[in-house]
Amino acid sequence: MLEMKELVLHPIQLIGVELIECNLFKNVNFKEKAILDDMSVNLKAWSKLEEEDRKIGYTYLNVIIDFESSVKPFSINITYRGVCLLDNIKSSESQFKAFLEAQGVKLLWPYIKPAVADFMIKMDIDPLKLPTLDVLKTMERADEIQEVR
């Protein structure tokens, strides 16, 4: 029987995911339904390699859901960090870094999406339905970006 490592042969593997930041706010005095037109959902992604062990890399995804108006019904700010391992000496640091930058959102989005819905439910707010990522389109876009570099 094949081991999992033999089935998934990519030299870079996601070996752990952790929630590293979580800031939630609910305005309990806000009585009206939130006006979603005023709401913004902002994503920020970044990555870095471990200083001492360059075979370990981190990819980060932060989502901030907030409102432009001064009276905010709620806000959410969460950040997940993925830990990746380079398990192939043939891949360079630059290839590892490029992988983390191109794949980070796709690796961490499945953690962000349900977390946002869960936190909103726990705040007694109808959950926001964040879109599913179109992985093929995202990969095509990442390839285009790589070609430009």
Side-chain angles (χ1 to χ4, degrees):
M1 187 163 152
L2 291 174
E3 301 236 354
M4 182 61 78
K5 190 173 182 178
E6 294 170 320
L7 290 172
V8 184
L9 299 176
H10 198 280
I12 301 168
Q13 294 294 313
L14 179 68
I15 60 171
V17 175
E18 55 192 342
L19 176 64
I20 63 168
E21 179 182 12
C22 179
N23 296 301
L24 308 172
F25 165 77
K26 179 183 178 184
N27 183 346
V28 294
N29 297 320
F30 195 84
K31 302 294 183 207
E32 301 170 26
K33 283 254 184 202
I35 301 169
L36 297 182
D37 293 341
D38 188 29
M39 184 176 65
S40 64
V41 178
N42 296 301
L43 295 176
K44 180 180 173 189
W46 68 98
S47 60
K48 69 177 190 172
L49 298 182
E50 178 67 46
E51 293 295 325
E52 295 173 15
D53 184 354
R54 305 303 273 181
K55 291 185 181 285
I56 295 182
Y58 302 102
T59 184
Y60 299 83
L61 183 59
N62 169 258
V63 64
I64 298 174
I65 301 171
D66 207 353
F67 291 81
E68 301 298 322
S69 63
S70 60
V71 180
K72 300 173 187 303
F74 68 92
S75 67
I76 296 174
N77 180 347
I78 57 177
T79 304
Y80 272 89
R81 176 173 86 161
V83 182
C84 294
L85 176 66
L86 175 61
D87 195 22
N88 181 344
I89 56 173
K90 294 178 185 173
S91 295
S92 69
E93 275 187 28
S94 62
Q95 289 171 319
F96 190 19
K97 182 84 168 152
F99 174 89
L100 293 173
E101 290 172 2
Q103 303 299 322
V105 172
K106 289 180 278 203
L107 291 171
L108 297 177
W109 188 251
Y111 295 88
I112 291 279
K113 187 177 174 184
V116 167
D118 188 49
F119 289 138
M120 290 180 76
I121 289 168
K122 288 178 178 170
M123 291 190 291
D124 196 26
I125 300 169
D126 289 338
L128 178 64
K129 293 181 175 113
L130 294 174
T132 301
L133 282 181
D134 184 336
V135 174
L136 291 177
K137 235 181 220 180
T138 306
M139 288 172 68
E140 287 171 7
R141 180 154 161 71
D143 288 342
E144 289 170 7
I145 291 169
Q146 291 298 326
E147 288 173 11
V148 171
R149 288 183 184 176

